[in-house]
Amino acid sequence: MAVRKLLVVILTALLVGSVVPFALASGSENTTGTNEVPQEKVVAQKLIDNLKRLAEVTEAKVPENMTNSTYLTLAEEHYNKALSEFQDGNYNASMVDALMAMHYYRLVLSEISPMKGAGANVEAQFRAQVERTRAYLRYAERLINVAGERGLNVTEARELYNETLEAFKLVMEDVRSGNLTKAREDYEVALQKKAELDSALKELRLQMLHQNAEQVVERFLAKGERAIQLANRTLSENPNPELNETYTAFLELYTSVKTLADEGKWDEALNLIIEKRDVVKEFQMELGRGKVMARGHFKWEGNFEKLKELHERIIHDGRELKKLKREGVDVSKAEVQLRSAMNEYKLGIRLLRTGQPEKAKEHFDTAVTLLKEVEAFINAHS
């Protein structure tokens, strides 16, 4: 059962938009094999047959001067491993490498001819990204309206909102017309507009927070006190060095904020909370491994170490891309993928905090897939 679960995850992650129909790879439940022919072998054989055809198609389209494609190198490596493993009778491993080879061959085709190699998949990806952006823009519009009602100057934010909205509309027009090359170019512009809007919205949120500095600080202190009590009980029952370290840092922050609040220095207290938000996040993550202070009684039976590792990978890859950029390497595509990975990570965290772990996992898996491509790019240019 463990192997089948693994394959389901891999199939789902790699066959979305693949040239191999999902039903072909996952339809082994309907295969009527005999005791002499393991079900895994039947599925592996189908994948190998399709992989060979895909490799032939790709080879026929690859230009002779295309010698520096990381995707092609990875595709050939997984292709050879899949064949070797199949011949050795290691069918499960063969299926995994066959799927990986197909994935990279598809990326090679998209490099050669985006319109022909992966048009439908690229269109689907654009639509998915734009759909997520629509939800973001609805949130942005509500925030701008509320900020305006509270007397804040929202002129710049509203202009950026309208420009961002129009930019993403243009991307969808490009997609509908089949001009994916122009869609990519306009998508870069749209992302830049969105980044500018992000900055304006961040400033509005800060101003709104300071309008209610006293209430925000008091709420922080109330929840912080409960979290400290919970941490004390947890540490007394089960000493944990990592929790103890984050607890100590949080306790120091809590004490400083309370001192400022007692003196009526609400803005200074709020600024300190904002400045030390990483301390709060780390303490939240460690506290009970499943209880999030800001959300009360939320529980998740997931692996928080992996989430921490995922976040660290995003930060590390960002630094590596900056190094490559300083060296003159064009990292624009990888930067977009990295930003998308960060957005997927943030969405996952948000869903976790609202008690939707299954949906959150989908976004974390997408972030991991994007990071693998970013890291393949980094390795190829380091």
Side-chain angles (χ1 to χ4, degrees):
M1 289 299 293
V3 171
R4 287 191 180 182
K5 288 182 179 178
L6 172 63
L7 289 175
V8 168
V9 173
I10 295 172
L11 287 166
T12 302
L14 297 182
L15 290 184
V16 175
S18 173
V19 293
V20 180
F22 181 81
L24 174 64
S26 63
S28 57
E29 295 297 330
N30 298 323
T31 303
T32 56
T34 66
N35 291 333
E36 288 81 20
V37 183
Q39 190 178 47
E40 288 82 359
K41 182 176 181 180
V42 175
V43 179
Q45 181 66 66
K46 287 183 179 180
L47 288 173
I48 290 293
D49 291 343
N50 281 277
L51 173 58
K52 289 180 178 178
R53 286 196 291 271
L54 178 58
E56 291 172 0
V57 170
T58 306
E59 184 178 351
K61 293 186 177 183
V62 172
E64 292 183 1
N65 61 351
M66 188 176 180
T67 59
N68 62 342
S69 171
T70 303
Y71 295 143
L72 183 59
T73 300
L74 291 169
E76 291 172 346
E77 287 178 1
H78 286 289
Y79 176 89
N80 292 328
K81 285 180 67 177
L83 292 182
S84 176
E85 288 160 348
F86 183 84
Q87 292 168 356
D88 292 339
N90 192 351
Y91 303 124
N92 290 321
S94 177
M95 282 187 273
V96 173
D97 280 300
L99 289 168
M100 292 298 295
M102 291 176 188
H103 173 65
Y104 286 115
Y105 275 129
R106 177 173 59 81
L107 292 175
V108 171
L109 289 172
S110 70
E111 284 184 328
I112 298 169
S113 177
M115 289 293 291
K116 296 180 181 179
N121 185 47
V122 171
E123 180 175 346
Q125 290 176 356
F126 272 126
R127 289 186 183 279
Q129 290 285 355
V130 171
E131 187 58 39
R132 282 194 285 269
T133 302
R134 282 176 181 166
Y136 166 82
L137 288 173
R138 287 194 292 270
Y139 154 76
E141 184 179 25
R142 288 196 299 271
L143 177 61
I144 291 170
N145 289 338
V146 171
E149 291 170 0
R150 294 187 179 183
L152 297 179
N153 184 350
V154 297
T155 302
E156 181 185 7
R158 199 174 293 283
E159 288 177 358
L160 288 170
Y161 165 82
N162 291 330
E163 290 174 5
T164 304
L165 180 62
E166 291 303 315
F168 278 98
K169 282 183 179 178
L170 182 59
V171 173
M172 286 310 301
E173 289 175 8
D174 295 336
V175 171
R176 281 192 289 269
S177 68
N179 192 346
L180 298 184
T181 300
K182 187 172 184 297
R184 286 189 179 88
E185 296 172 356
D186 289 337
Y187 186 63
E188 292 291 334
V189 175
L191 287 178
Q192 180 59 41
K193 289 293 181 184
K194 181 177 177 293
E196 294 174 12
L197 177 59
D198 282 341
S199 179
L201 294 180
K202 180 180 179 181
E203 180 59 32
L204 285 181
R205 286 195 297 269
L206 284 174
Q207 292 179 34
M208 290 167 68
L209 281 174
H210 278 284
Q211 280 187 334
N212 301 278
E214 182 175 349
Q215 294 92 325
V216 173
V217 172
E218 287 181 341
R219 189 161 59 246
F220 169 83
L221 291 173
K223 292 186 176 182
E225 183 179 2
R226 292 196 296 271
I228 289 169
Q229 292 171 356
L230 175 59
N232 282 329
R233 290 198 301 270
T234 302
L235 288 169
S236 64
E237 295 170 1
N238 182 27
N240 181 327
E242 291 184 356
L243 174 58
N244 187 64
E245 181 180 349
T246 58
Y247 165 72
T248 302
F250 180 80
L251 185 58
E252 181 180 344
L253 169 63
Y254 176 88
T255 303
S256 299
V257 171
K258 192 172 188 315
T259 299
L260 290 170
D262 290 341
E263 297 173 359
K265 298 179 179 178
W266 303 110
D267 283 322
E268 290 90 333
L270 178 58
N271 285 333
L272 184 58
I273 295 171
I274 295 171
E275 179 188 344
K276 299 292 186 179
R277 58 186 176 274
D278 287 343
V279 171
V280 179
K281 288 180 180 178
E282 289 176 9
F283 179 53
Q284 289 175 347
M285 189 69 76
E286 292 296 335
L287 184 58
R289 291 190 177 279
K291 285 185 177 289
V292 180
M293 179 188 67
R295 298 288 177 175
H297 301 292
F298 160 66
K299 291 184 179 180
W300 182 56
E301 300 300 329
N303 190 328
F304 282 84
E305 283 299 326
K306 287 186 178 180
L307 293 188
K308 185 177 180 181
E309 178 186 336
L310 178 58
H311 186 261
E312 289 174 349
R313 282 175 63 185
I314 292 172
I315 301 301
H316 174 267
D317 290 350
R319 290 174 182 152
E320 293 301 311
L321 287 180
K322 286 181 180 178
K323 289 180 184 177
L324 292 176
K325 193 172 185 177
R326 287 196 294 269
E327 294 171 3
V329 178
D330 181 5
V331 300
S332 54
K333 179 179 178 182
E335 283 180 329
V336 171
Q337 291 173 322
L338 184 63
R339 284 197 296 271
S340 298
M342 175 57 87
N343 288 336
E344 293 292 335
Y345 173 83
K346 289 180 178 179
L347 280 169
I349 293 296
R350 193 176 305 160
L351 287 166
L352 278 185
R353 291 176 174 175
T354 55
Q356 303 177 72
E358 292 303 321
K359 288 184 179 180
K361 185 178 182 302
E362 294 176 9
H363 290 284
F364 292 139
D365 288 342
T366 301
V368 170
T369 300
L370 288 165
L371 283 183
K372 285 180 179 178
E373 296 195 12
V374 172
E375 287 158 2
F377 174 87
I378 292 172
N379 292 333
H381 293 84
S382 298

